[in-house]
């Protein structure tokens, strides 16, 4: 990833497992304020991205269940802070309209089978994952040898279509950089996926969180927002995000190969 000056920065600051985790007090909606109906949301992975999404989504009034690999008993602090319900991973999607999968790519094949069997019929699954072969994940043949995008590979592992979002977002920005619609410094996030209805649902949720969105195409186009692309880690508006997506190259650089 590079900063705005084009200086190389380590991928450690962005994505599933990295970023800040400042606590945000739970808030109640302003009386009389128009807002969308609360949704049941499952979050699988309670690292920095998952934890901060839990904080913001509960603050907005959504019913959030959160799981990690170590079990519900390890999530007491996050549950007490936010009001989220700690659950086992196999229960996180039960009844959910949106499920966020935010675990290291190497852990995706270990997710429970039938994970979405009891989810809402039109559940939208958000994939925040990034492939870090040298730093964390080891070689994933489907990505490197078959040329699958990271999210297409994830779809095949979990047996459900995904919407790629938040993968290039600094975790701390989820807490600190949300802005009301129309604000001059409101950030935009790229969103890719094949299911248009699910993509609309995810984009609406991101906009409720305080960010604009840019349609980044289908999952086979989602290489445009993978690590080391111009949009990865970009804190920009819709115009700059769209420009960065257009300037991306499909070539995977050696440092992102095993």
């Amino acid at each position: 990833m590079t900063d705005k000056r084009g200086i190389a920065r380590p991928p450690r600051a962005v994505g599933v497992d990295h970023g800040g985790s400042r606590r945000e007090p739970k808030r109640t909606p302003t009386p009389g304020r128009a807002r969308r109906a609360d949704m049941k949301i499952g979050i699988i992975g309670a690292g920095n991205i998952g934890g901060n999404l839990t904080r913001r989504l509960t603050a907005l009034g959504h019913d959030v269940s959160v799981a990690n690999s170590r079990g519900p008993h390890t999530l007491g602090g996050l549950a007490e802070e936010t009001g989220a319900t700690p659950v086992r991973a196999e229960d996180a999607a039960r009844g959910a309209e949106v499920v966020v999968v935010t675990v290291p790519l190497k852990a995706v094949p270990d997710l429970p089978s039938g994970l979405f069997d009891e989810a809402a019929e039109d559940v939208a699954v958000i994939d925040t994952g990034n492939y870090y072969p040298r730093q964390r994940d080891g070689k994933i043949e489907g990505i490197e040898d078959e040329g699958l995008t990271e999210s297409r590979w994830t779809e095949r592992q979990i047996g459900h279509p995904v919407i790629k979002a938040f993968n290039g977002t600094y975790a701390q920005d989820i807490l600190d950089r949300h802005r009301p619609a129309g604000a001059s410094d409101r950030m935009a996030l790229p969103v890719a996926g094949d299911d248009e209805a699910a993509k609309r649902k995810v984009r609406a949720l991101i906009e409720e969180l305080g960010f604009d969105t840019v349609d980044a195409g289908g999952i086979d186009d989602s290489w445009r927002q993978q690590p080391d692309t111009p949009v990865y880690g970009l804190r920009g508006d819709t115009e700059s995000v769209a420009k960065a997506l257009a300037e991306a190259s499909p070539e995977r650089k050696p440092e992102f190969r095993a």
Side-chain angles (χ1 to χ4, degrees):
M1 187 185 74
T2 59
D3 67 14
K4 293 180 180 179
R5 298 168 296 170
I7 298 174
R9 303 180 63 181
R12 180 172 176 78
V14 178
V16 173
D17 299 314
H18 315 300
S21 58
R22 180 182 62 81
R23 294 188 173 188
E24 178 178 89
K26 191 170 183 179
R27 297 171 297 158
T28 55
T30 303
R33 176 184 171 191
R35 65 182 307 279
R36 62 174 296 158
D38 297 340
M39 290 195 296
K40 184 169 177 54
I41 298 174
I43 298 180
I44 302 172
N48 293 310
I49 292 288
N52 286 353
L53 283 173
T54 299
R55 292 177 175 93
R56 290 284 293 124
L57 290 167
T58 52
L60 290 168
H62 294 291
D63 179 5
V64 177
S65 295
V66 60
N68 66 6
S69 61
R70 295 176 295 156
H73 65 284
T74 67
L75 294 169
L78 183 63
E80 182 179 0
E81 175 191 347
T82 64
T85 302
V87 296
R88 300 179 304 166
E90 51 264 43
D91 298 323
R94 183 171 294 161
E97 299 169 68
V98 173
V99 176
V100 183
V101 177
T102 180
V103 301
L105 244 63
K106 67 178 182 179
V108 169
D110 299 327
L111 292 172
S113 60
L115 187 58
F116 307 104
D117 289 353
E118 296 184 55
E121 185 176 352
D122 60 347
V123 62
V125 179
I126 300 174
D127 168 36
T128 77
N130 292 306
Y131 180 43
Y132 297 134
R134 297 190 180 188
Q135 299 92 339
R136 182 189 64 197
D137 297 314
K139 183 177 181 179
I140 295 177
E141 292 182 358
I143 294 173
E144 294 204 30
D145 297 340
E146 297 179 45
L148 297 176
T149 62
E150 296 164 11
S151 287
R152 183 66 77 193
W153 179 84
T154 294
E155 281 190 344
R156 293 189 179 184
Q157 303 306 307
I158 66 176
H160 198 283
V162 303
I163 305 298
K164 191 175 190 72
F166 297 110
N167 72 293
T169 307
Y170 290 94
Q172 193 65 34
D173 287 352
I174 295 170
L175 297 184
D176 294 344
R177 296 181 72 94
H178 54 90
R179 301 289 187 270
S184 60
D185 59 345
R186 181 158 146 132
M187 284 173 49
L189 308 183
V191 181
D194 298 332
D195 184 329
E196 292 300 324
K199 190 189 289 186
R200 285 194 297 271
K201 184 185 293 187
V202 171
R203 292 180 72 179
L205 185 63
I206 293 172
E207 287 161 9
E208 185 187 356
L209 281 164
F211 304 91
D212 288 330
T213 61
V214 174
D215 191 333
I219 287 299
D220 288 336
D221 302 311
S222 63
W223 55 266
R224 294 183 180 277
Q225 65 194 79
Q226 291 178 171
D228 205 41
T229 58
V231 81
Y232 189 75
L234 178 66
R235 290 164 164 158
D237 59 12
T238 55
E239 182 177 354
S240 60
V241 167
K243 181 175 183 290
L245 288 167
E247 292 174 347
S249 168
E251 180 183 358
R252 184 175 291 277
K253 295 182 179 179
E255 55 265 37
F256 286 94
R257 291 185 177 276

